[in-house]
Structure formats: C-alpha cells, structure tokens
Amino acid sequence: MTGPTPHILGRRALLGGAAGLAAAGLVGCSDGGPTGPGTLPGGAGKNGGKGQNGGKGAITWWDHNVNLQKANGAAYDAFTKESGIGVDYTYVQTAKLGQTLQLAKQSKQLPNIHSTAGLELSIPALIADGWFQPIEWEQDVRDRFGDDGLVDGLHVFDDKIYSFPIFADKQYVAAQWYNKSFIDKAGIGQPPTDYDEFRDACRKVMAANEGSFGFIFALGHTGRLSEQVNAMAQAAGFEGLDGTLFRTGEVAYHDQAYLAVIEFLRSLQTDKLVFPGASSLDDQTARARWAAGAAGYYMDGPWCSGTVQTEMPQFLTSLDVGPMLVPDASHELVAYRGRQGGNYYVSSAAEQGDACSRLLSYLPGEKYNIAIADAMAQPPYDLTAIEKSKAIEPWRRLIASYQDCVFIAPQATLQNADVQQVARHSKDIKPGLGEIVQGVFSGDVTDVRGALKKLSDATAADREQAIAKAKAAGASVSADSYAFGSWKPRTDFTSSMYSR
C-alpha cells in the first residue's frame, strides 16, 4: 500500500465552479500521478480500486496532511473493501486550505470529510455556522479512546461526537531542524539551546557553507508563524497560551516574553542571517528551500521529517533536530498545550453521513497509530505505537523530549461548557500575531509593543462582546471562566483541577 495519489486543488478550480473542480482532478490523473505537492513515490494507492478517483458515489476527502496519505490510504482501502464505496482524495496545501474550504462552502462544493487547518473560527462557531454534522459511532468505536479520550468541548458538543484525536497532546511546533552536513562542516557540536548560541551557530554555518544562510522559516505563513511565536513565548517565560495568561485570564500579547521572541527573530534579519526571501515563503516552500541547501536551520513542528520523507526522501538522512530555543541559560525549556482537538470532520453537506462515519471508524486503533508514527507526523494518539514503527531516530528523540518539557494547559471550555457559546460569537482579530511579526520584518511595524498591546486590547474586547452575546442567549459565563487560579508552572492541568 503506497497511499492515494492525490488531486492537487487550487483556488482557480473552485472559482470555476464544478467543472473547474473536475478539471483540477484531471490534473492529478496522469499515469505518473501529479507532480505537485503531496505526490507519493510508487504511484497511486488502490483507493478502493479506483486509483485516486473513488468513482461515482465516492466519499470525497480533502486534507492538508501530506505525510498521512499512506496511513489514510490504508483506511480507504479497508473501508472500500468492506462497503464497496470508493474514496476520492484531494490534497490541499496547509497555507491554502482555509481559503479553499471557504470558497468551496460558498460554491456548495465542500467535500464529505475534511480537515480544518486555516479555518480561523473556533469549532463551536463552525458548528453553529452549519459546517459539520455529527459522527455516528457504535460504542465499540468510542471505547477505543478510553474514558477520557473524547472530551466535551473539544470533540463532543451537545452530547454529539464531531471529531476525535488522532495525535498526542504533548508537542510544540518550533523545533530547530537542521542540515547535518552544513552543521558538521561548520564544526558545530551540540545543537544550540539559547538565542546567542543559535545566532553564533548561524554565523558559523554561513562562513562554512558559501551561498547559504543560517536560518529559514515560513514568514509568509501567518498561521504557522503565530503558532511558533506563541510556543517560543512560553519558552521565554509567558505563563499562558495564545496570549492569555493562565492564572488571571488576562490577554497579554504585549508581555515581555513576546517582545523578547520577536526582537530575537528580528535581530537575525538585522544580522543578515535569515534567508532574504523568507517573507514570501509558506511552510512547504520554506522547507523545500531548506532541504535544497538555502540554510542550515529551519523552524518547524514534529511533522518536518515526515514531510521530508514524503516529498524530499533523498534529504531524510541529512536532517536532525534540536530543541526549541530559550532566551538564555536562566530559562528552562517549557511549553504548554491544551488537549488535542480533532483533525477530521464530516461536512453537513455530506449526504452519505453514515458511510462517512464508518470510514472514519477505520482510523482509531493500533494499526493507524503505527502508520502515523511510520509517517512521522505529529506524535500518534497512542505513543506506544512508536516502538513498533519505522520512524527515524531524530523524530523519536524529539517526541520523547516532549514528555519532559511539555505540559497540559488548562482550557476554558473544559472548565465551563458554556464557553462554547462564547466561541460561537468570537471574531477573527486582524492584524493578528502572525501579521504583526510579518510587519516587523517588512518594516511596516516599528512600535512592536504598541502593536501587541492593540492586539491584546482587541482580543479582550472581542471576548467581552462575545460573552455578552452568550449571556443574552442564556449562557452562564464570565471573564472568570478564563482564569485558573490553581495553575502551577511545569505541571499538567488535569481534569480534577477544574473548578466547575
């Protein structure tokens, strides 16, 4: 099983209506498969005996998970063998998926099943807006997640399952992946751990590798950039998540930790250590440039090696990974992350809802978890599967390190279920953190603290108006719902710690 050969879907196809969408499928139907992102070596998987095309009446599936295509392809095949229903798979690049789904909804072309990367509204808001329908599973499938795997407010809403976790909770997205040959040639021993060490390592890489730069990252991908700066802010001392302090619930993007991270990144540009075209790069392009020798270091999540394995397999033996950076030796590496949400959802437009639910039931289980580990995506929901996988040592080492420095964060929706109603009234604040960092690099944002304070104030004001609307509709919620006075650093916030 080599996995499905995907369609590659773009904005032009959607704007062209149904005919344009069909044409986008034809692009991926050549004998050799598509040459764009997401192509897997070895040709098309069976995909229900229909190649990449599930045929008439097939379930349509779109996602951004290039390194899960083999794992998901095995589930497609098993489902089709049992049901006789094919699966028509389309890969959409991470940075483009949100816009592509929005256009598809407007033109009534949403797939039956899809991931949600880039849809910036909360899941409760998307449910309220009519995006999804519940997943209908028998108890034996639910039991695969144990007593606390399917969480109210994350996967279950109004007693209905809308999604489920396929990845483990503990991880961060700002690891420093590096080109081993560049680092060895520069005479660098252990990976740098703080800002000054990293800056020095970048200089050594450039001195030893003519024409290359020290560092490259996806500055053009604001969603990913925001995630990375949020994670690095935690490592710099911010005791919260996504700009919100755990203990008080205060929105504080203007905290000194965020300023330290942004000033550090800007200093790399000032010192001419950053690949000069980074401002236009999304994650896929930046990663490909890095693998081609544009820079020694690349900031990415745990999926980096899996994506390289899929798209640039010749580079896989040349990569290694170091930890997320801290400002200096006085800081101990730490990150906080909430319980893992869902990855795949059934569209409300899907007429074959029962069949979609059956298809998704092929994902939870040992085989799928091992396949995720083989693919070196995010760590699988069941971490014991890693020992049975073919994952390379750097990825295994990174995943193991998460267990020592990543801790479960408190989440307002788990403290007060009515927070879901607040989320339904929340708006997407622009410019957001990613856009502000972009502006710092372009020179459009000169008062960094001032821009971050405006973001804090706008985010707090939006939450206030959303709370007011939720209360008017009967919700019992307040600003206190976002505060966790019992929170302690470097400690998992468990279900028993919520004050309900």
Side-chain angles (χ1 to χ4, degrees):
M1 174 66 203
T2 59
T5 299
H7 301 304
I8 310 298
L9 183 60
R11 185 174 185 272
R12 181 176 297 177
L14 281 166
L15 291 175
L21 183 55
L26 293 174
V27 171
C29 288
S30 62
D31 292 341
T35 58
T39 303
L40 293 177
K46 288 180 285 185
N47 218 4
K50 301 290 186 180
Q52 69 177 43
N53 229 324
K56 186 176 181 180
I59 291 174
T60 52
W61 177 309
W62 299 0
D63 70 36
H64 65 294
N65 303 120
V66 63
N67 48 4
L68 290 185
Q69 288 172 4
K70 185 175 180 179
N72 289 343
Y76 303 161
D77 288 346
F79 166 77
T80 300
K81 184 177 180 180
E82 177 263 331
S83 67
I85 301 171
V87 180
D88 192 356
Y89 172 71
T90 296
Y91 165 66
V92 186
Q93 189 180 341
T94 307
K96 299 177 180 177
L97 180 60
Q99 182 187 34
T100 302
L101 289 169
Q102 292 281 5
L103 289 167
K105 190 172 190 293
Q106 293 169 17
S107 58
K108 299 183 179 180
Q109 297 182 77
L110 277 173
N112 302 137
I113 295 172
H114 62 84
S115 57
T116 58
L119 290 177
E120 296 178 337
L121 291 176
S122 67
I123 296 303
L126 292 170
I127 292 172
D129 198 31
W131 279 78
F132 311 128
Q133 61 179 286
I135 297 171
E136 303 292 342
W137 275 346
E138 298 296 332
Q139 191 60 45
D140 65 313
V141 182
R142 299 176 183 223
D143 288 344
R144 298 177 202 168
F145 295 94
D147 294 334
D148 65 347
L150 298 174
V151 181
D152 284 337
L154 290 180
H155 317 108
V156 180
F157 301 89
D158 297 327
D159 297 323
K160 299 173 183 177
I161 299 172
Y162 281 87
S163 193
F164 52 96
I166 63 173
F167 300 125
D169 296 325
K170 295 189 175 185
Q171 53 182 291
Y172 57 71
V173 300
Q176 43 156 328
W177 294 86
Y178 59 89
N179 183 325
K180 287 192 293 185
S181 64
F182 278 24
I183 271 59
D184 290 346
K185 189 175 179 181
I188 300 168
Q190 294 298 314
T193 59
D194 64 34
Y195 294 174
D196 285 342
E197 288 180 359
F198 185 78
R199 187 180 290 105
D200 183 58
C202 286
R203 290 192 179 107
K204 289 179 179 179
V205 165
M206 292 181 67
N209 300 273
E210 186 177 357
S212 296
F213 287 82
F215 177 55
I216 189 170
F217 68 133
L219 185 57
H221 186 168
T222 56
R224 181 61 42 75
L225 184 60
S226 179
E227 287 182 294
Q228 291 171 335
V229 173
N230 275 313
M232 291 183 71
Q234 292 176 340
F238 185 74
E239 296 186 338
L241 177 64
D242 294 338
T244 301
L245 291 165
F246 291 136
R247 286 195 185 93
T248 65
E250 176 192 357
V251 182
Y253 282 108
H254 54 293
D255 185 272
Q256 182 58 39
Y258 278 93
L259 284 165
V261 171
I262 295 171
E263 290 297 343
F264 164 64
L265 293 174
R266 177 163 63 176
S267 75
L268 297 178
Q269 181 189 46
T270 300
D271 293 346
K272 300 185 183 339
L273 301 175
V274 179
F275 179 77
S279 61
S280 64
L281 301 180
D282 56 34
D283 62 333
Q284 183 183 40
T285 309
R287 191 182 301 109
R289 292 287 183 90
W290 167 65
Y297 292 95
Y298 173 61
M299 184 163 58
D300 205 1
W303 51 80
C304 181
S305 55
T307 305
V308 167
Q309 176 177 251
T310 299
E311 297 187 333
M312 299 154 278
Q314 72 282 0
F315 184 66
L316 188 62
T317 58
S318 298
L319 63 74
D320 209 327
V321 67
M324 180 165 61
L325 299 171
V326 297
D328 54 49
S330 70
H331 289 75
E332 186 176 9
L333 178 58
V334 67
Y336 302 96
R337 188 179 175 96
R339 294 289 305 274
Q340 185 75 246
N343 202 64
Y344 298 121
Y345 295 80
V346 179
S347 167
S348 60
E351 296 180 357
Q352 303 182 77
D354 290 344
C356 291
S357 294
R358 289 205 308 277
L359 171 55
L360 290 173
S361 75
Y362 282 84
L363 271 56
E366 183 183 49
K367 287 184 178 180
Y368 190 68
N369 279 280
I370 293 173
I372 289 176
D374 284 340
M376 295 181 290
Q378 298 178 49
Y381 178 77
D382 180 4
L383 291 173
T384 64
I386 294 175
E387 290 304 312
K388 301 175 184 178
S389 75
K390 301 173 184 176
I392 62 174
E393 192 276 336
W395 184 84
R396 290 172 180 257
R397 183 178 358 111
L398 178 64
I399 304 310
S401 74
Y402 290 154
Q403 311 316 305
D404 299 322
C405 65
V406 182
F407 298 90
I408 300 300
Q411 291 161 280
T413 54
L414 305 189
Q415 176 161 269
N416 182 350
D418 281 0
V419 168
Q420 297 172 31
Q421 297 184 47
V422 177
R424 292 171 183 172
H425 298 290
S426 297
K427 300 173 184 177
D428 184 26
I429 304 299
K430 295 295 181 184
L433 182 60
E435 288 84 8
I436 290 171
V437 177
Q438 274 189 336
V440 170
F441 271 74
S442 69
D444 293 334
V445 175
T446 56
D447 180 6
V448 182
R449 183 184 291 275
L452 292 174
K453 183 63 166 62
K454 286 182 180 179
L455 176 60
S456 297
D457 292 344
T459 304
D462 178 67
R463 187 170 72 187
E464 185 177 350
Q465 68 82 24
I467 287 174
K469 289 180 179 177
K471 291 176 71 172
S476 177
V477 63
S478 70
D480 291 340
S481 302
Y482 298 84
F484 306 91
S486 62
W487 177 85
K488 296 179 180 179
R490 303 189 66 84
T491 303
D492 288 334
F493 202 91
T494 62
S495 58
S496 64
M497 299 172 73
Y498 287 100
S499 57
R500 295 186 175 89

